[in-house]
Amino acid sequence: MALVSAEKKVFNENQHWTKTNEYTATGWSFYLILAGVITTIGSSVPVGYNIGVVNTPAEVIKQFCNESFISRYDVVLDEQWMNVLWSSVVSIFIVGGCTGSILGSYLADSLGRKMATIATGALWIAGALLFLLCRTANSVEMLIIGRLLVGLAGGLTTSIVPMYLTELAPPRLTGAMGVACPMGVNVGVLVGQVMGLNFLLGGPDNWPYLLGAYAILVIVCLPILFILPESPKYLYVMKRDEGKALEELSRLRGVSMSLLASELETLREEAATASVVQRYSMLQVAREPALRLPLLLVVALQAGQQTSGINAVFYYSQMMFEQAGLTAYQAQLATIAAGLVNVCTAALMVRLLPRAGRRPLVLRSVLAAALLLAALAAALNYMDAAPWMPYVCIVAVLSYVNAYGFGLGPIAYFIASEMFEVAPRPAAMAWGSLANWGGNFLIGMSFQTMRDTIGAYSFLLFSAVTAALYVFMRLYFPETRGKTPAQVSLLCSQGFRSRPLSTSQLRNADV
């Protein structure tokens, strides 16, 4: 009954948007905004939260692990084995993320975009319960399984949610809706850092509550997901349920179908051009010659987001702030401030993306990131050369975070939705998400060794990889703003012989 009354209330709100004609003026409807807010808070924020929260209570959790092994197995873990165990606790999250990315394609097609997101919410809650109970049960295994489940949920989220939101949005707002997921991840990282402060949940006895606190957001948002519309594109193109698709589209936009002729025509075109293969596997997408270049672009951008060293930069920022004369607590606050810069940049992208092209934002962001990483490597290498050098490092860090947030960070998450048609889209999103989590795993496993071996030159290596990404993107990355996925696919259909900016291909794409 509560759900029915809630849906009735939402319907009345949606009618208000219709009567005031706010949708036709702005493109934003009540359900569209609700979908963006609820999936961001209840799905994307937990991803970032679980990325950023585990570092603060690390020493306390290690102590718990050691005491658990002593009491249950009569084994004392030395430093080497403790590092192995802690690496397992940290890395199993990324293993779960990679697995969730692979499963995302299947769940998005079999359950639908909305129901797959709801199923992901159940995984978030299960992981939080294991975190809250593991100390009481004196079980390290529950902690590790909990990390695996939230990693699995994170991989599913980054694979499904950006696709769901961009399929709900009208063409001119796909960028603004696509940036909601990465903005939520950035907010989650920041919230995890803030909650780890001593006066909140950073105390030595609070770590189970700190790890599981995100569940409050999931529990609040999960019931509202049930009243959101399913993706009309999924229903029309994949399920061939025209009646339900049109009903959901009308409900989503808050206007009658007579005012949505252009969107209806787009749906018909996508359905007409969809392959006879109704469900693309990840392997089928990789083998399709016409899809190979866009897939490589998506994978390169998603992997490049991580191999640009963003997590390593945040790792080093604490040390640099302390070398600049800040106390450990002040350096922690300054690191949080860097995270706040990342969040504010993502928020600005919501306003910027409907007005700006994807290609110039990506190219400028990637190029600036490469140059700033090289500057950071030089500043770190000559940290003791001058008393003001630590401040140069701080400026380089904040500038890099800002440059990353204006293209490389957010656009990678949703670009597959603008480059692939509905049928191959879930598999392409899964490949991109897998590349992102795989890059995260690669940097997480190798950065410590790189830092110990070549020190500050690690960032020079990140700079070189990012510069290579810039060259690839400059040659082949097409402008997707204002184009349908079919037009973008045509621009990239000739593989490496494609020239997405050539006059002839642009003319053909617009036909």
Side-chain angles (χ1 to χ4, degrees):
M1 290 298 293
L3 188 61
V4 172
S5 62
E7 186 164 2
K8 187 179 294 183
K9 180 180 178 182
V10 171
F11 179 78
N12 291 336
E13 291 288 344
N14 206 23
Q15 290 301 305
H16 169 73
W17 280 79
T18 304
K19 292 175 183 178
T20 57
N21 292 321
E22 289 186 52
Y23 167 73
T24 56
T26 66
W28 294 103
S29 69
F30 177 78
Y31 273 120
L32 187 62
I33 294 173
L34 185 65
V37 171
I38 292 303
T39 56
T40 298
I41 295 174
S43 299
S44 303
V45 169
V47 178
Y49 187 89
N50 281 279
I51 291 173
V53 76
V54 76
N55 292 326
T56 301
E59 295 304 319
V60 180
I61 298 177
K62 286 180 183 179
Q63 183 180 349
F64 158 74
C65 293
N66 203 9
E67 291 173 354
S68 177
F69 268 71
I70 292 173
S71 62
R72 295 177 61 204
Y73 305 116
D74 196 24
V75 172
V76 178
L77 298 175
D78 59 22
E79 184 177 355
Q80 180 180 357
W81 281 106
M82 178 54 69
N83 288 336
V84 171
L85 179 60
W86 182 246
S87 296
S88 300
V89 171
V90 173
S91 61
I92 198 70
F93 173 73
I94 303 177
V95 172
C98 293
T99 306
S101 299
I102 296 171
L103 293 176
S105 171
Y106 174 78
L107 288 182
D109 277 346
S110 59
L111 298 181
R113 291 18 171 178
K114 182 180 80 170
M115 290 307 299
T117 304
I118 291 171
T120 302
L123 289 175
W124 285 122
I125 294 173
L129 287 174
L130 289 172
F131 293 148
L132 292 172
L133 297 174
C134 65
R135 184 174 61 182
T136 302
N138 195 26
S139 173
V140 177
E141 294 84 353
M142 289 176 67
L143 174 64
I144 293 176
I145 294 172
R147 288 284 292 172
L148 177 63
L149 289 181
V150 297
L152 187 63
L156 289 170
T157 297
T158 55
S159 178
I160 296 169
V161 168
M163 173 172 50
Y164 175 50
L165 293 181
T166 52
E167 288 185 1
L168 291 182
R172 63 180 295 268
L173 294 178
T174 55
M177 289 297 284
V179 81
C181 181
M183 182 173 68
V185 173
N186 293 340
V187 171
V189 172
L190 180 62
V191 170
Q193 293 171 335
V194 172
M195 295 299 289
L197 295 172
N198 287 334
F199 66 87
L200 292 174
L201 292 178
D205 296 327
N206 294 329
W207 64 266
Y209 310 109
L210 177 63
L211 295 184
Y214 70 87
I216 297 173
L217 300 177
V218 180
I219 292 170
V220 169
C221 293
L222 192 57
I224 304 176
L225 280 171
F226 283 93
I227 66 173
L228 293 178
E230 179 54 274
S231 162
K233 290 186 179 181
Y234 165 76
L235 293 171
Y236 198 101
V237 179
M238 298 298 297
K239 302 298 288 184
R240 302 292 179 175
D241 189 345
E242 295 184 16
K244 183 64 174 176
L246 300 182
E247 178 186 331
E248 291 288 70
L249 181 61
S250 179
R251 187 166 73 102
L252 176 63
R253 299 290 181 258
V255 296
S256 67
M257 284 307 303
S258 61
L259 300 178
L260 297 170
S262 61
E263 282 201 66
L264 181 57
E265 183 61 28
T266 300
L267 286 176
R268 287 171 177 160
E269 288 176 2
E270 289 202 42
T273 57
S275 169
V276 292
V277 180
Q278 289 301 300
R279 182 175 294 162
Y280 278 81
S281 69
M282 294 177 68
L283 191 58
Q284 284 174 310
V285 169
R287 286 177 170 175
E288 182 65 41
L291 301 178
R292 198 161 294 155
L293 179 58
L295 183 62
L296 285 174
L297 288 166
V298 168
V299 167
L301 200 56
Q302 285 270 38
Q305 185 193 80
Q306 295 298 322
T307 55
S308 69
I310 182 66
N311 292 328
V313 167
F314 273 108
Y315 176 87
Y316 249 102
S317 62
Q318 180 95 6
M319 176 271 292
M320 287 182 287
F321 293 142
E322 290 182 13
Q323 288 189 345
L326 301 181
T327 65
Y329 179 68
Q330 290 171 333
Q332 186 181 12
L333 293 179
T335 301
I336 290 174
L340 184 61
V341 169
N342 206 16
V343 171
C344 292
T345 304
L348 289 174
M349 288 292 283
V350 175
R351 299 280 296 177
L352 181 61
L353 273 169
R355 299 169 173 80
R358 304 342 178 209
R359 178 179 166 87
L361 286 173
V362 165
L363 292 181
R364 291 168 188 169
S365 174
V366 174
L367 180 60
L371 295 174
L372 288 165
L373 284 166
L376 180 59
L380 283 171
N381 196 52
Y382 296 101
M383 180 73 78
D384 300 325
W388 43 264
M389 194 59 74
Y391 298 99
V392 174
C393 293
I394 292 174
V395 172
V397 167
L398 296 178
S399 300
Y400 166 76
V401 170
N402 192 48
Y404 171 91
F406 272 111
L408 181 57
I411 292 177
Y413 277 96
F414 70 85
I415 196 62
S417 291
E418 297 188 343
M419 298 185 75
F420 287 85
E421 296 182 79
V422 175
R425 186 176 295 155
M429 295 289 292
W431 273 114
S433 182
L434 180 61
N436 190 293
W437 287 93
N440 192 344
F441 182 78
L442 176 65
I443 297 303
M445 296 300 291
S446 63
F447 178 66
Q448 188 71 34
T449 302
M450 288 170 55
R451 190 191 65 161
D452 294 341
T453 305
I454 60 177
Y457 290 109
S458 303
F459 291 98
L460 201 58
L461 183 58
F462 294 145
S463 175
V465 172
T466 308
L469 176 65
Y470 171 78
V471 172
F472 183 49
M473 291 293 128
R474 184 172 179 82
L475 287 174
Y476 295 108
F477 188 69
E479 179 54 70
T480 61
R481 177 175 175 263
K483 293 183 175 63
T484 66
Q487 291 171 324
V488 176
S489 296
L490 184 59
L491 288 174
C492 302
S493 60
Q494 298 178 34
F496 289 113
R497 295 193 304 274
S498 302
R499 288 295 179 267
L501 298 184
S502 70
T503 304
S504 60
Q505 282 194 267
L506 284 174
R507 189 183 301 115
N508 292 334
D510 290 332
V511 172

